[in-house]
Amino acid sequence: MAIQQQLKSRNTEQLLSFSILGILLLLYSPILLHWLDGWLHKNISIEHEYFSHGIIGLPFAGYLAWTNRKQWQRLPNIINPVGIGLLIIGAVFYLSGVTEWVNLSLPIILTAICLWFKGIPGLKLEGFPLILVFLATPTALPYLITPYSFPLQSFIAGTAAFILNQFGMKVVVDGINLYIGGRIVEVAPYCAGLKMLFTTLYVGLMLLNWTDALSSRRITFGFLSIAVVISVTANIIRNTLLAFFHGTGQDGAFSWLHEGWGGDLYSGCMLLLLIPLLNWMNSYLVEAPPMKLDEEVQEV
């Protein structure tokens, strides 16, 4: 009799889980398809494109949630009242019609579901997938930080000019503008490499989780720090090439690297460098396990 009740309870829980998943798919499929179409075809705002790492991040978050399903089922059913509040906030955001609020309603509602069904343990279990979803949700963050990117723009312009001067080109720098061969090349705010930096940190977090290296603060901090340096360096090289192509009248190459698939290829190759870097750090910077003291002291 007890076994039948357990089976009935489990079947009810599974049915409820599938029902909630179905409702979420109905509500958010149009939004997710809109994001995907914008990321792939670049027919949306530049700020929205800053979150194109969601193309790989959202499926990876779903994969992690799926692999945690057995642990989720074994967790006790604990209702956390905060989940109700977040669910109400998420519903208000979704029904508001404001694009950014509608976007943010997704991670809010997912967090509410975790707290409502499994409490804090459920939130901890699904914490990393929720972080991936939140960091892939388009918001106004790029628009807010763009005005503060001027120092980075000036640094990139000066460095690109220095590199080109070493190759015999006459380049004059004026703030964020480069004068080459009678042409002006501007290192615009959206050319400062913030998108590449966001993507690098996002992919870095995914790699750290995939290799179980997030538990090591030393590896995590070191890897992300070097990843930032690689991203900034790669963006300087890219802007130098763009300045060279535009200054020498190679408009086809400029468009290919700036707006075409060449820019995506360049970013992809840069991201591939993170894999051997993390493998090296995991091999040589793994913290040694603490030595265990013998419980019995042998007499000599």
Side-chain angles (χ1 to χ4, degrees):
M1 191 67 177
I3 297 178
Q4 293 179 351
Q5 291 179 349
Q6 290 179 357
L7 291 175
K8 184 178 179 180
S9 176
R10 181 177 299 178
N11 291 334
T12 303
E13 184 177 350
Q14 290 180 349
L15 180 61
L16 181 61
S17 300
F18 284 121
S19 300
I20 293 175
L21 180 61
I23 294 174
L24 289 176
L25 288 176
L26 287 175
L27 292 175
Y28 287 100
S29 289
I31 297 175
L32 294 175
L33 290 176
H34 171 68
W35 292 358
L36 180 62
D37 179 70
W39 290 334
L40 290 176
H41 300 99
K42 300 181 180 180
N43 53 7
I44 50 177
S45 64
I46 296 178
E47 289 83 7
H48 192 118
E49 290 185 25
Y50 272 60
F51 300 90
S52 59
H53 47 253
I55 293 177
I56 58 175
L58 292 178
F60 186 65
Y63 167 78
L64 292 178
W66 174 256
T67 57
N68 292 336
R69 66 188 185 281
K70 293 184 179 179
Q71 292 178 264
W72 174 271
Q73 293 172 356
R74 288 195 292 265
L75 290 175
N77 296 325
I78 304 175
I79 298 178
N80 191 305
V82 178
I84 302 176
L86 288 177
L87 188 61
I88 294 175
I89 294 174
V92 172
F93 275 28
Y94 185 87
L95 297 174
S96 68
V98 180
T99 301
E100 186 172 349
W101 287 19
V102 173
N103 293 344
L104 286 173
S105 68
L106 175 59
I108 291 175
I109 288 180
L110 292 177
T111 303
I113 291 174
C114 292
L115 289 172
W116 175 254
F117 284 99
K118 300 296 181 179
I120 298 299
L123 183 62
K124 290 181 178 180
L125 177 64
E126 303 296 348
F128 192 77
L130 288 173
I131 291 175
L132 292 180
V133 173
F134 175 74
L135 294 179
T137 301
T139 63
L141 179 62
Y143 176 79
L144 295 175
I145 65 176
T146 295
Y148 303 97
S149 64
F150 183 80
L152 181 59
Q153 295 170 248
S154 300
F155 173 73
I156 293 174
T159 307
F162 174 78
I163 295 174
L164 292 175
N165 283 327
Q166 304 311 305
F167 287 92
M169 298 187 66
K170 294 182 179 180
V171 182
V172 179
V173 183
D174 181 15
I176 60 174
N177 296 315
L178 302 175
Y179 295 86
I180 309 173
R183 290 192 170 195
I184 303 176
V185 181
E186 178 188 7
V187 182
Y190 296 106
C191 296
L194 295 179
K195 179 180 181 297
M196 184 181 292
L197 182 60
F198 287 170
T199 302
T200 301
L201 292 174
Y202 191 87
V203 174
L205 287 175
M206 291 175 56
L207 292 174
L208 287 168
N209 177 266
W210 182 260
T211 58
D212 295 324
L214 274 174
S215 57
S216 173
R217 293 183 180 181
R218 181 171 61 174
I219 292 179
T220 299
F221 178 78
F223 174 69
L224 293 180
S225 298
I226 298 176
V228 169
V229 174
I230 292 176
S231 176
V232 173
T233 303
N235 187 60
I236 290 174
I237 296 174
R238 179 174 178 270
N239 276 275
T240 302
L241 291 173
L242 289 173
F244 172 76
F245 291 147
H246 186 69
T248 55
Q250 302 182 48
D251 296 334
F254 177 86
S255 299
W256 174 76
L257 186 60
H258 186 246
E259 299 175 352
W261 60 270
D264 297 329
L265 177 63
Y266 183 85
S267 299
C269 292
M270 186 274 296
L271 292 174
L272 287 176
L273 296 176
L274 300 180
I275 298 177
L277 171 63
L278 183 56
N279 288 336
W280 177 83
M281 296 185 71
N282 283 330
S283 299
Y284 293 96
L285 298 181
V286 175
E287 298 178 358
M291 298 180 62
K292 297 181 179 180
L293 298 176
D294 294 334
E295 296 180 357
E296 298 180 358
V297 178
Q298 297 181 356
E299 294 183 0
V300 179

